[in-house]
Amino acid sequence: MLHLEVGQPATGAPLIVRETAKRAIDHDLLRYTDADGNAALRETICSWYTAEHGLRVAPERIVITTGASGACVLVFLASFDVADRVAVARPSYPCYRNMLNAFGVEVVDLPVGAGTRFQPTAAMVETAHHSTPGGLQGLVLASPSNPTGTMVAPDEMAAIADVCRRHRIRLVVDEIYHGISYDTPAVSVLASEPKAVVINSFSKFFSMTGWRLGWLVVPDELVEPVERLAQNLTVAPPTLAQIAAVDAFSPTALTELRTHVDRYARNRRVLCDGLTAAGFSGFVEPDGAFYLWCAIDELIVRGITGSAVELCAEWLEELDVAVTPGIDFDPVDGDRAIRFSFAGSEADVATAVGRITAWSKRSGLT
């Protein structure tokens, strides 16, 4: 079985991180940290923003969380009330929508497509604010995005930030895939809007999914509410993971991690070229992350398949290739699209592309 459906690196944590964790198990009591996290890790993250983005972020604004999922829970609860209206791109990571709905927040769709590289624009946000009764209280976006891998351009991000500032819309940007970009580096929203909320994690670029560790950058007015929520919901993030994660920013670890990004880049090229040769045209090349979102309207029109769910089931059964139907990412139009993850090995991606190419010939697509 070739797994192109799972959104996690095929590699583990950097060697130096694992070695640090082993030492901590032997020599540290691993007690609770502060609710907002280990001071050394928070300061290291601040240094990372300076080194990577030229930004100065105070350690007091960093909150260590139990993964990006824990970060979403904290910031959504701290920022929004029941019946607030929060705009979310469609397609997007399904947990944004599901969490907001669970907290009684109304999700306002921002349908995006290939014309905007599957990212919202400032004009879309402005229109949604004025056309939504009561206006918007929040906007959640991701750059690079899951499931599309596309990024918001710096000038567009600045324009979106301006709309949110003028209308007092809480801007929340998921930057979990920062560090994984190809032609141009990802730019943090903090360069445009220092009061934006940033969500990030050690799961993707740092290859530490099971360590369940993430972080928030929050504006001053959210520091205390988020800390109080964290004290009550989780007490503290995982201590062992926090101790080890400091070394994830070391030169040794970063050298190792950037070899993974090189592999993702090669996989991206193989997948894009292979799908084009196999007759698939409904995608834009991802700017970052390790996903590709592909519309299958032509296959449906030609009767090759009836839906994304049907196609994914057929490939699973006939090809031993697992990809994700789009319905979770887009509850309206997602059954006409599929998501590929190219986070796996080069051999797996190449083999999967070969099987899909053979299938497309048998099916009459090419």
Side-chain angles (χ1 to χ4, degrees):
M1 181 67 65
L2 302 176
H3 292 279
L4 275 66
E5 88 285 15
V6 180
Q8 69 175 345
T11 49
L15 176 60
I16 191 172
V17 171
R18 287 178 276 139
E19 291 173 341
T20 300
K22 292 173 186 177
R23 287 195 300 273
I25 289 171
D26 290 335
H27 302 295
D28 197 293
L29 291 176
L30 301 178
R31 296 181 182 274
Y32 297 133
T33 67
D34 291 340
D36 53 5
N38 179 309
L41 180 56
R42 293 162 67 200
E43 290 169 1
T44 301
I45 291 171
C46 290
S47 298
W48 172 254
Y49 278 100
T50 301
E52 288 294 301
H53 299 289
L55 299 170
R56 297 178 66 86
V57 179
E60 294 77 19
R61 293 178 56 201
I62 304 291
V63 180
I64 309 301
T65 62
T66 307
S69 298
C72 288
V73 169
L74 292 174
V75 76
F76 291 170
L77 286 173
S79 298
F80 307 124
D81 290 324
V82 170
D84 275 357
R85 294 156 297 278
V86 175
V88 179
R90 176 170 61 77
S92 64
Y93 181 53
C95 294
Y96 306 146
R97 177 184 305 273
N98 295 340
M99 287 183 189
L100 290 166
N101 283 334
F103 300 150
V105 175
E106 178 186 343
V107 174
V108 177
D109 278 346
L110 295 178
V112 295
T116 63
R117 294 188 59 79
F118 295 100
Q119 289 286 0
T121 65
M124 285 180 182
V125 178
E126 186 86 51
T127 299
H129 178 70
H130 290 297
S131 62
T132 300
L136 298 175
Q137 282 70 56
L139 167 66
V140 179
L141 60 85
S143 179
S145 164
N146 176 11
T148 66
T150 59
M151 298 193 300
V152 180
D155 57 345
E156 193 67 51
M157 185 70 82
I160 289 171
D162 180 65
V163 172
C164 291
R165 192 182 306 114
R166 286 190 286 106
H167 297 299
R168 302 184 70 179
I169 299 168
R170 174 74 70 192
L171 176 57
V172 180
V173 181
D174 186 344
E175 296 183 351
I176 189 173
Y177 293 99
H178 273 218
I180 306 174
S181 58
Y182 304 112
D183 299 324
T184 58
V187 175
S188 177
V189 66
L190 296 174
S192 303
E193 179 49 83
K195 291 190 175 182
V197 175
V198 168
I199 297 167
N200 212 319
S201 168
F202 289 88
S203 291
K204 308 303 182 180
F205 171 68
F206 295 99
S207 198
M208 295 172 62
T209 51
W211 297 68
R212 305 314 304 131
L213 201 64
W215 75 83
L216 285 166
V217 183
V218 296
D220 292 338
E221 69 269 17
L222 285 185
V223 169
E224 190 171 325
V226 166
E227 182 179 10
R228 290 182 178 185
L229 284 164
Q231 288 169 336
N232 284 276
L233 292 173
T234 59
V235 179
T239 301
L240 178 61
Q242 291 186 74
I243 292 171
V246 172
D247 279 334
F249 298 94
S250 68
T252 299
L254 293 175
T255 297
E256 180 180 340
L257 293 168
R258 284 167 180 148
T259 66
H260 303 332
V261 178
D262 292 341
R263 173 169 49 85
Y264 303 148
R266 292 190 294 271
N267 285 347
R268 167 181 173 259
R269 186 75 275 131
V270 168
L271 183 60
C272 290
D273 291 349
L275 289 177
T276 299
F280 291 85
S281 58
F283 65 90
V284 297
E285 290 198 8
D287 303 308
F290 34 61
Y291 303 113
L292 183 147
W293 178 259
C294 185
I296 59 166
D297 298 82
E298 183 179 356
L299 280 73
I300 294 172
V301 168
R302 293 173 58 177
I304 295 172
T305 190
S307 69
V309 170
E310 181 181 310
L311 179 64
C312 291
E314 181 178 347
W315 284 1
L316 193 67
E317 178 68 25
E318 295 185 12
L319 308 182
D320 286 336
V321 172
V323 299
T324 308
I327 194 67
D328 282 346
F329 305 97
D330 182 343
V332 177
D333 300 313
D335 210 22
R336 300 201 301 271
I338 54 179
R339 188 198 74 173
F340 296 86
S341 170
F342 50 90
S345 72
E346 293 178 70
D348 282 358
V349 172
T351 302
V353 166
R355 294 179 187 178
I356 292 168
T357 300
W359 173 89
S360 72
K361 292 178 180 178
R362 294 195 303 271
S363 302
L365 182 61
T366 56

